[in-house]
Amino acid sequence: VQLQASGGGLVQAGGSLRLSCAASGRTFSSYTMGWFRQAPGKEREFVASISGSGRQTFYADSVKGRFAISRDNAKNTVYLQLNNLKPEDTAVYYCVAGHSIIVLSTRPEYWGQGTQVTVSS
């Protein structure tokens, strides 16, 4: 599966952004989808994931209550709504995919290119 992320940008603290990730292929609904991020000088970290049906979602503690992941299987697209952004959310955000929602948080099978999110204070 090929993944194309978009929607990053520069936003002030407290603002919002919505990231999108379009996936290729005809079996999108069979994939667990998610997002990772990598801040400057730090390792990539898990942000959120969503099951193929969309019924299950998981979030990193650092984004719970502020970020929301969703998907539209008819459009082969997964979204990440980022609200109440903080400067520490500044990172390159990567769309990921896999077949297990449990494994995805540590070992995604597929990675898209990143999209930069910068939050100014």
Side-chain angles (χ1 to χ4, degrees):
V1 62
Q2 292 184 321
L3 307 171
Q4 181 75 34
S6 61
L10 173 64
V11 63
Q12 287 188 332
S16 298
L17 281 174
R18 188 174 82 154
L19 307 183
S20 299
C21 174
S24 63
R26 294 173 291 178
T27 59
F28 178 73
S29 61
S30 70
Y31 288 96
T32 290
M33 301 297 296
W35 293 88
F36 275 61
R37 67 185 181 184
Q38 186 169 22
K42 295 188 177 181
E43 294 187 353
R44 287 183 185 181
E45 63 174 359
F46 168 77
V47 175
S49 60
I50 187 167
S51 63
S53 66
R55 294 192 190 99
Q56 285 183 295
T57 57
F58 293 95
Y59 296 93
D61 288 342
S62 58
V63 306
K64 274 182 185 176
R66 300 188 299 121
F67 291 8
I69 190 170
S70 61
R71 66 190 295 159
D72 185 337
N73 286 343
K75 295 182 178 180
N76 280 19
T77 301
V78 62
Y79 305 97
L80 186 68
Q81 179 68 39
L82 291 68
N83 297 322
N84 191 21
L85 282 160
K86 304 176 181 180
E88 52 264 41
D89 294 318
T90 294
V92 177
Y93 284 71
Y94 296 91
C95 178
V96 297
H99 288 95
S100 167
I101 198 166
I102 301 299
V103 175
L104 190 80
S105 63
T106 56
R107 296 193 307 276
E109 296 174 50
Y110 303 97
W111 291 80
Q113 96 294 352
T115 186
Q116 177 71 46
V117 172
T118 303
V119 185
S120 62
S121 57

